[in-house]
C-alpha cells in the first residue's frame, strides 16, 4: 500500500492507551517497527507491541527521570537522557531492566539525542552549548563541539554526516569522520525572534531536512543547498510547546501535531496541506512519528494513540 493524499486523509485512531499520568515527552519505534517505546514526565518507560496493539511492560526511572528515549541497534536496549538530578545519558537493557553504561559529561539538560542508523555511535546536544559524540561501548565522549547557543542535532540516514542546528538560525553539516575540522557546509536561515528551534530531522532519502520550532511554523530545507523549500504553518501552538514534526517513511509527507489535539499533514513537494486529522487528544500532541515498517503512526499527549488507514488506495 502506497501513501497518497487520500490514504493519509483516511487515517483514524485505532487505539488509545492511558498508561501515563503525565505528558509523554518522547517515543521511538524499533527499527523493525514491531515495538514503540515511550518516556514520560511521570518517570515511566512504556513498551508497546505495535502488531498486537497493546502495552507490553512498564519500567521506571524515578530517581533520574526519563526523556529523549531512543532505541539502539540491539532490539532490547535504549539510551535516554535524564530530566532530574544530573544530565548523564543512560544506556538501559530492557531485558533485565539494568543499566549497561552511563555517559556523563553534559553539565546542563540534554535537548537533542540521535542514534546513528548504522552503528553504535550517537550524538547529544545540550543547553551547555555543546554537542558530544559517543560510542555505546565506551563511557567516554568520543568528540566534543562547543557552539554559540542551544543545539539541535541529527544523523543523516546513511550515518555518514550529522546536522547541527545552532542558535535557531544556522544549520551546519559535519562529516562524522572529520567533524573536528569543522562543518563542510553552513546554511544561514532568517532568524525569527518569536521562537526557537526544537528539532531537526532528515528525510529517509537524505534529501530534505525538517526544522521544527516552538512557534507556529516548521521549515523544510534542501539538505544539499540549504534553500528553504517550504514553510508550513496554520496549526495551533500559542504556548510555545515543543511539538514533534516528522516525515512519512517515503519522505513525501510532513506531519506535526498541535496544541488542540489535531494533526496537520502537508505534501513536501507541493507544499499543500493534504489533511487535518483529529486525534481527540486531551492536550498538545508533543510526539508524532510514523512507523518505519508498517502503515501506521503514533501520536501522544499524556495518552498514546495508534492510527490506521481506513481505505485501501
Amino acid at each position: 500500500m502506497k501513501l497518497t493524499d487520500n490514504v493519509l486523509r483516511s487515517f483514524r485512531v485505532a487505539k488509545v492507551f492511558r498508561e501515563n499520568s503525565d505528558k509523554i515527552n518522547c517515543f521511538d519505534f524499533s527499527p523493525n517497527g514491531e515495538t514503540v517505546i515511550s518516556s514520560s514526565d511521570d518517570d515511566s518507560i512504556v513498551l508497546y507491541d505495535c502488531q498486537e496493539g497493546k502495552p507490553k511492560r512498564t519500567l521506571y526511572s524515578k530517581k533520574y527521570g526519563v526523556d529523549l528515549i531512543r532505541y539502539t541497534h540491539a532490539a532490547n536496549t535504549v539510551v535516554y537522557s535524564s530530566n532530574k538530578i544530573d544530565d548523564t545519558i543512560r544506556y538501559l537493557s530492557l531485558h533485565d531492566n539494568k543499566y549497561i553504561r552511563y555517559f556523563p559529561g553534559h553539565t546542563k539538560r540534554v535537548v537533542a539525542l540521535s542514534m546513528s542508523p548504522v552503528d553504535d555511535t550517537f550524538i547529544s546536544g545540550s543547553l551547555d552549548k555543546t554537542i558530544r559524540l559517543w560510542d555505546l561501548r565506551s563511557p567516554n565522549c568520543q568528540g566534543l563541539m562547543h557552539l554559540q547557543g542551544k543545539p539541535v542535532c541529527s544523523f543523516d540516514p546513511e550515518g555518514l554526516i550529522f546536522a547541527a542546528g545552532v542558535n535557531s538560525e544556522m544549520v551546519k553539516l559535519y562529516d562524522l569522520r572529520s567533524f573536528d575540522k569543522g562543518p563542510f557546509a553552513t546554511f544561514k536561515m532568517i532568524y525569527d525572534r518569536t521562537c526557537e528551534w526544537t528539532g531537526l530531522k532528515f528525510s529517509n532519502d537524505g534529501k530534505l531536512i525538517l526544522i521544527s520550532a516552538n512557534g507556529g511554523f516548521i521549515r523544510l530545507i534542501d539538505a544539499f543547498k540549504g534553500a528553504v523549500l517550504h514553510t508550513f504553518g496554520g496549526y495551533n501552538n500559542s504556548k510555545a510547546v515543543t511539538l514533534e514534526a516528522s516525515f512519512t517513511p517515503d519522505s513525501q509527507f510532513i506531519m506535526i501535531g498541535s496544541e488542540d489535539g489535531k494533526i496537520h499533514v502537508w505534501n513536501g513537494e507541493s507544499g499543500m496541506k493534504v489533511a487535518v486529522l483529529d486525534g481527540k487528544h486531551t492536550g498538545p500532541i508533543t510526539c508524532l512519528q510514523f512507523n518505519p515498517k508498517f502503515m501506521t503512526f503514533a501520536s501522544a499527549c499524556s495518552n498514546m494513540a495508534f492510527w490506521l488507514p481506513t481505505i485501501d488506495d
Side-chain angles (χ1 to χ4, degrees):
M1 189 173 169
K2 196 167 171 293
L3 272 181
T4 63
D5 294 9
N6 280 340
V7 171
L8 275 163
R9 280 195 279 268
S10 84
F11 269 86
R12 298 290 179 271
V13 174
K15 261 189 177 165
V16 177
F17 305 99
R18 297 179 172 84
E19 309 299 303
N20 295 101
S21 59
D22 205 337
K23 178 185 93 174
I24 294 171
N25 52 42
C26 185
F27 67 70
D28 194 33
F29 282 100
S30 59
N32 62 11
E34 288 171 12
T35 59
V36 62
I37 194 159
S38 69
S39 55
S40 165
D41 288 356
D42 65 13
D43 306 334
S44 71
I45 296 169
V46 184
L47 184 66
Y48 298 88
D49 185 315
C50 295
Q51 288 164 307
E52 293 185 17
K54 61 181 193 192
K56 275 169 78 162
R57 58 191 293 217
T58 302
L59 308 170
Y60 292 94
S61 180
K62 293 238 183 263
K63 186 175 175 186
Y64 305 105
V66 54
D67 195 2
L68 300 179
I69 197 156
R70 302 278 184 258
Y71 272 107
T72 67
H73 296 287
N76 271 332
T77 63
V78 291
V79 288
Y80 66 82
S81 64
S82 321
N83 50 18
K84 294 183 186 176
I85 299 190
D86 65 11
D87 304 289
T88 297
I89 296 163
R90 292 177 166 76
Y91 180 21
L92 177 71
S93 163
L94 301 173
H95 169 65
D96 50 8
N97 194 19
K98 287 196 167 70
Y99 291 117
I100 302 167
R101 198 160 281 115
Y102 302 93
F103 303 96
H106 283 300
T107 55
K108 285 189 176 161
R109 184 164 175 176
V110 175
V111 290
L113 193 60
S114 178
M115 193 75 215
S116 162
V118 295
D119 60 22
D120 284 339
T121 313
F122 67 97
I123 48 174
S124 58
S126 158
L127 294 178
D128 63 15
K129 300 182 184 173
T130 65
I131 287 177
R132 287 174 181 262
L133 182 67
W134 310 88
D135 187 305
L136 285 174
R137 294 162 296 194
S138 162
N140 305 321
C141 163
Q142 308 291 302
L144 175 63
M145 290 158 50
H146 291 275
L147 306 163
Q148 306 293 239
K150 175 191 163 179
V152 287
C153 54
S154 183
F155 276 101
D156 82 318
E158 310 274 282
L160 297 173
I161 65 170
F162 64 88
V166 188
N167 259 3
S168 302
E169 59 176 348
M170 257 178 289
V171 176
K172 297 174 179 244
L173 299 182
Y174 295 85
D175 186 314
L176 196 60
R177 291 154 301 195
S178 56
F179 74 92
D180 46 342
K181 296 189 173 64
F184 65 82
T186 300
F187 310 136
K188 203 152 174 20
M189 306 282 145
I190 300 159
Y191 181 58
D192 185 327
R193 266 181 202 81
T194 62
C195 61
E196 63 174 5
W197 293 358
T198 52
L200 181 147
K201 285 183 184 179
F202 279 89
S203 57
N204 273 346
D205 62 10
K207 294 176 182 171
L208 305 165
I209 294 174
L210 184 59
I211 299 167
S212 40
N214 61 359
F217 67 90
I218 47 179
R219 285 217 170 98
L220 186 67
I221 69 169
D222 181 302
F224 302 106
K225 302 189 186 88
V228 176
L229 304 172
H230 297 290
T231 300
F232 304 114
Y235 58 91
N236 291 18
N237 190 12
S238 61
K239 299 188 182 75
V241 180
T242 296
L243 304 169
E244 182 177 23
S246 289
F247 288 99
T248 50
D250 61 5
S251 308
Q252 303 300 310
F253 298 93
I254 286 97
M255 44 206 308
I256 192 169
S258 62
E259 186 169 81
D260 58 7
K262 292 188 171 66
I263 291 170
H264 296 250
V265 187
W266 295 268
N267 182 309
E269 199 166 347
S270 69
M272 301 296 287
K273 188 173 283 190
V274 296
V276 179
L277 306 168
D278 193 351
K280 307 278 191 293
H281 277 284
T282 51
I285 299 178
T286 41
C287 307
L288 176 68
Q289 279 178 43
F290 223 93
N291 187 305
K293 293 287 188 263
F294 302 109
M295 187 63 82
T296 167
F297 68 83
S299 59
C301 54
S302 57
N303 300 336
M304 170 79 90
F306 283 6
W307 298 69
L308 290 170
T310 52
I311 60 163
D312 296 324
D313 209 35

